[in-house]
Amino acid sequence: MAKALSVLLLFLFLKPLPAADLKSAAIQEWNRYLQWANTKVQKEESDPALFLIQNALPPSERAEVRRQIESGGIYIARRTGVIPKGGHFDVPDSEIHHWWGTILLRNIKLTQLLEFLQDYDHHAGKFSEVEKSRLISTNGNNYRVYFRFRRSKSFVTVVYNTEQDCVYENRGEGRVISNSVATRIAEVENPGTPSEREKPIGRDSGYLWRLVSWWRYEQRGSDVVVELESASLSRDIPLVVNFIPGLSHYIRSTPRESLESVLASVRQYAK
């Protein structure tokens, strides 16, 4: 009964939400957070004793990660430790979602995996949220890509036209990193109909305004460990939703589920 009531309230309160505005103050705070995140990522990637996020975890957590991925599972956790200690940070009228996850791919070469990931013309149908994909241009290890995403959760479905810059770098010893930055995110209104159009960027439903992803790949014997870290910016949760038990968590879980979906698609490829 409680679950049915929550779904009903979700439909009543989320569907008619007015357009949200991406404010310049939120962009400034996002850029500040992204600078901290990039610094943390680069520090870990450049340390031969670390490289992977899981290598910096306490022994008990590291053992749990290994247990899950070696049994064929997907480990997902919230990314922490990005904001410097004592630092004040507040994103006005917006929220930052930062997660990371990892999988272990059995009996595969890293070169094979990279060929699959860099085949951007054919990501649609292989990644569950990708409706269309196209390689716009390439320059060495730099790729510019178009993705059309479709994300659904209960009664809410949102479609985006995006452009992303993806950069790969070989770190030696069977290690590769890549970084993907969405340079354009446009929400699509009435997708797939004659009246389809893009909403004004920064004035839309506000479910996805910014997106950055960091990948780490490590050949481990005949297997490959994959880590994916993703940070995104969205509108904040409306005040009325915070008073409905469980609904704010329901909304905030979407970025986590999207990350898990990507890793599941990569794992499916390797089977």
Side-chain angles (χ1 to χ4, degrees):
M1 180 65 180
K3 183 178 180 180
L5 178 60
S6 294
V7 172
L8 175 60
L9 290 173
L10 177 68
F11 175 76
L12 292 176
F13 286 114
L14 285 189
K15 200 63 175 177
L17 283 180
D21 289 315
L22 176 56
K23 296 181 171 60
S24 59
I27 297 175
Q28 291 175 4
E29 289 297 276
W30 162 260
N31 289 337
R32 192 156 69 106
Y33 182 88
L34 190 57
Q35 185 176 22
W36 289 331
N38 276 321
T39 298
K40 185 175 180 64
V41 169
Q42 291 166 9
K43 183 178 180 180
E44 292 168 344
E45 292 173 343
S46 62
D47 187 341
L50 289 180
F51 185 69
L52 299 174
I53 297 173
Q54 56 197 270
N55 290 338
L57 297 175
S60 60
E61 292 182 42
R62 190 162 64 248
E64 176 60 20
V65 172
R66 174 163 291 190
R67 184 193 68 79
Q68 287 197 31
I69 66 175
E70 288 185 351
S71 63
I74 301 175
Y75 180 87
I76 305 287
R78 192 180 298 276
R79 190 65 152 125
T80 59
V82 175
I83 302 172
K85 292 183 179 179
H88 175 71
F89 184 74
D90 180 45
V91 188
D93 302 318
S94 305
E95 288 196 17
I96 291 176
H97 314 271
H98 198 166
W99 295 86
W100 77 279
T102 181
I103 53 175
L104 178 67
L105 306 180
R106 297 289 192 183
N107 301 314
I108 188 173
K109 295 295 185 183
L110 181 52
T111 52
Q112 294 175 281
L113 176 61
L114 293 177
E115 286 178 6
F116 165 73
L117 294 172
Q118 293 169 357
D119 185 18
Y120 292 111
D121 284 329
H122 300 98
H123 274 211
K126 297 177 181 178
F127 291 83
S128 60
E129 291 188 345
V130 179
E131 195 169 72
K132 299 178 183 178
S133 65
R134 176 172 54 88
L135 177 63
I136 299 174
S137 63
T138 181
N139 181 15
N141 290 324
N142 300 338
Y143 298 80
R144 186 163 184 80
V145 187
Y146 163 79
F147 287 118
R148 184 179 177 104
F149 293 125
R150 176 180 293 270
R151 293 181 172 175
S152 298
K153 194 170 179 67
S154 190
F155 298 102
V156 180
T157 296
V158 188
V159 175
Y160 303 98
N161 287 329
T162 74
E163 292 181 8
Q164 300 191 30
D165 287 339
C166 309
V167 181
Y168 291 79
E169 183 180 342
N170 191 324
R171 288 300 179 91
E173 299 182 353
R175 291 173 167 177
V176 172
I177 62 172
S178 66
N179 182 22
S180 178
V181 179
T183 57
R184 184 177 188 274
I185 301 175
E187 184 180 338
V188 179
E189 187 174 34
N190 302 319
T193 71
S195 59
E196 176 181 312
R197 71 178 184 88
E198 292 183 351
K199 295 182 180 181
I201 294 177
R203 182 166 175 76
D204 51 25
S205 298
Y207 297 123
L208 183 65
W209 279 328
R210 294 289 188 273
L211 178 64
V212 176
S213 300
W214 301 267
W215 294 77
R216 311 179 202 197
Y217 319 91
E218 183 178 76
Q219 186 82 52
R220 188 177 291 175
S222 60
D223 307 327
V224 173
V225 177
V226 178
E227 285 189 353
L228 171 58
E229 179 179 357
S230 178
S232 59
L233 177 71
S234 73
R235 69 183 299 162
D236 62 351
I237 302 298
L239 181 61
V240 66
V241 174
N242 284 310
F243 289 102
I244 304 172
L247 283 192
S248 60
H249 171 74
Y250 185 89
I251 298 167
R252 292 186 175 106
S253 64
T254 299
R256 180 192 189 282
E257 292 171 356
S258 292
L259 183 144
E260 186 173 11
S261 172
V262 172
L263 288 175
S265 296
V266 174
R267 185 182 59 180
Q268 181 62 33
Y269 154 76
K271 287 184 176 180

